[in-house]
Amino acid sequence: MEYFVGVAVALGVGCFTTVAGLDRDRSLYPVILIVVASYYDLFAAMSGGAALGSETVALAAFALAAVVGFRTSLWVVVVALVGHGLFDWYHGQL
């Protein structure tokens, strides 16, 4: 169920930002990638901080992909957003 909700919310945000015209600026999706990746640091801090170091490494990787994609090709951001979805899928097993 949580995967269905995640996909539905992602599609909803994508459609909403397109209809509202927010996606005219090429920085929108890189910023979304950084914000979504930062949630892991938030959750790690809320749970006591034991996993904060490893979650920060993941955040740094997604933030780097966002910046590289912003400066070169937004397809890098697309791949990173898909990669983040896959990371979500397997995150509990890590």
Side-chain angles (χ1 to χ4, degrees), residues 3-56:
Y3 300 117
F4 174 76
V5 171
V7 169
V9 169
L11 290 174
V13 167
C15 290
F16 173 76
T17 57
T18 299
V19 169
L22 296 171
D23 65 346
R24 292 183 188 146
D25 186 346
R26 65 182 280 118
S27 66
L28 175 68
Y29 292 107
V31 168
I32 287 175
L33 176 61
I34 293 168
V35 169
V36 169
S38 72
Y39 288 151
Y40 281 117
D41 276 10
L42 171 66
F43 296 145
M46 289 171 56
S47 68
L52 191 56
S54 60
E55 298 297 357
T56 300

Side-chain angles (χ1 to χ4, degrees), residues 45-79:
M46 289 171 56
S47 68
L52 191 56
S54 60
E55 298 297 357
T56 300
V57 170
L59 168 61
F62 286 114
L64 178 64
V67 171
V68 169
F70 175 74
R71 293 179 179 257
T72 59
S73 170
L74 289 178
W75 283 108
V76 174
V77 177
V78 171
V79 170

